[in-house]
Amino acid sequence: MTNLLPKMAEIWQQTLNWQPTAQQQAQFQRLYELILEGNRQLNLTRITDPQEFWEKHLWDSLRGIAPQGQFIPSLQEAASVIDIGTGAGFPGVLVAITAPNCKITLMDSTRKKITFIDNILTELALINAKTLVGRAEEIGQQPQHRQAYDIALIRAVGTASVCAEYALPLLKRSGLAIIYRGNWTEEETTVLQNTVNQLGGVIELIEKFTTPLSDSIRHCLYLRKVANTPANFPRAVGVPSQKPL
Ligand code: SAH
């Protein structure tokens, strides 16, 4: 197999002020191979070209945890992080590879995907990550997970309002939710403002950027938890998406 990921050292340096070590590059490569393999059984991703995979999965995952192009400092310490709806491991596995001091929980409602991730964690020797099968609506009401995380990541799981309802209950006070989006409008900000208020959060930053190879538009929404989330959130399974706040 000659599916070799590009290194892109200069782009990493210019965009994130960082470069992967040889070990991290080897982990990226192994992750890519395992996903291509897993794709034969599971519907993991339609992005399989090496350059596109690098840009839309690797780079995109890490750009979210580097607002304004700098990694969030608490990731270098022992921050507890949860990736809600991790799927094939994005953005969570990338965070586990690049921030070895943080503790990350990779959560998904699909057991088959979590079994796949368990194998990835073993193959890449990622001892700072663990998996969790469940729905965000239920996990967010469990005492061992509610208000337990410093950072919640969520990419391509639902509308921003749904993502906010999944993420904010899981955060400690002063924790940060990072919602990955493609396009985003001012009107959406107005609607989200109201949702986030109800959940005990504020919109701290909305960042627009373009991806470095294909110039695709992206947004990341950074929500800060400033008050406890009322006990009725997240609502029962299916309600957040059926009756968005
Ligand atoms: N974050 C990954 C996967 C996105 S696909 C990426 O960006 O590539 C959405 C994933 O979210 C699926 O794997 C699905 O099983 C999971 N998911 C959807 N609703 C969920 C919920 N309520 N709780 C937990 N996981 C959920």
Side-chain angles (χ1 to χ4, degrees):
M1 197 165 70
T2 54
N3 284 304
L4 199 62
L5 278 180
K7 287 214 170 75
M8 305 286 184
E10 272 166 45
I11 299 184
W12 283 126
Q13 191 61 50
Q14 282 160 12
T15 56
L16 300 189
N17 190 27
W18 170 85
Q19 288 182 28
T21 62
Q23 187 196 336
Q24 287 166 334
Q25 183 67 29
Q27 287 171 311
F28 292 169
Q29 179 63 36
R30 190 75 188 113
L31 173 68
Y32 176 49
E33 289 165 6
L34 289 167
I35 288 178
L36 292 181
E37 238 174 87
N39 242 354
R40 289 191 227 131
Q41 319 263 333
L42 292 168
N43 204 358
L44 296 171
T45 180
R46 48 174 190 81
I47 297 169
T48 55
D49 168 75
Q51 305 259 331
E52 204 185 355
F53 187 94
W54 178 87
E55 179 184 47
K56 304 224 167 110
H57 285 325
L58 307 192
W59 186 88
D60 189 72
S61 289
L62 293 181
R63 180 60 178 78
I65 56 160
Q68 289 153 341
Q70 295 291 333
F71 283 121
I72 294 169
S74 68
L75 287 169
Q76 305 313 318
E77 294 143 32
S80 59
V81 182
I82 186 162
D83 183 14
I84 303 164
T86 191
F90 305 114
V93 168
L94 272 295
V95 176
I97 292 171
T98 52
N101 295 330
C102 79
K103 288 192 173 60
I104 180 155
T105 301
L106 306 167
M107 188 239 280
D108 204 282
S109 54
T110 306
R111 184 171 294 278
K112 276 188 285 187
K113 291 196 177 158
I114 289 297
T115 303
F116 172 79
I117 299 282
D118 281 330
N119 183 46
I120 296 242
L121 299 184
T122 308
E123 289 272 340
L124 303 189
L126 291 170
I127 54 173
N128 58 334
K130 60 183 181 189
T131 56
L132 178 63
V133 182
R135 293 206 55 122
E137 299 94 317
E138 290 168 339
I139 302 288
Q141 291 293 354
Q142 294 172 2
Q144 70 270 39
H145 296 291
R146 192 179 179 88
Q147 272 187 240
Y149 298 93
D150 298 304
I151 297 175
L153 308 169
I154 186 161
R155 191 182 88 156
V157 175
T159 64
S161 188
V162 170
C163 290
E165 187 169 346
Y166 290 169
L168 281 160
L170 293 165
L171 292 176
K172 296 175 190 166
R173 278 272 279 276
S174 84
L176 188 67
I178 306 177
I179 303 176
Y180 291 67
R181 310 292 309 173
N183 287 314
W184 187 255
T185 61
E186 294 271 337
E187 296 79 77
E188 288 177 285
T189 302
T190 312
V191 176
L192 183 65
Q193 199 100 52
N194 176 50
T195 305
V196 167
N197 262 338
Q198 295 180 63
L199 296 163
V202 292
I203 302 174
E204 185 166 277
L205 173 68
I206 295 178
E207 206 183 6
K208 179 182 185 179
F209 52 88
T210 57
T211 62
L213 301 182
S214 63
D215 262 325
S216 312
I217 291 178
R218 294 284 183 276
H219 290 80
C220 274
L221 319 176
Y222 298 88
L223 313 180
R224 183 71 63 182
K225 184 158 173 174
V226 293
N228 289 342
T229 302
N232 54 315
F233 301 120
R235 292 167 292 165
V237 168
V239 179
S241 54
Q242 282 150 24
K243 295 181 187 162
L245 287 172

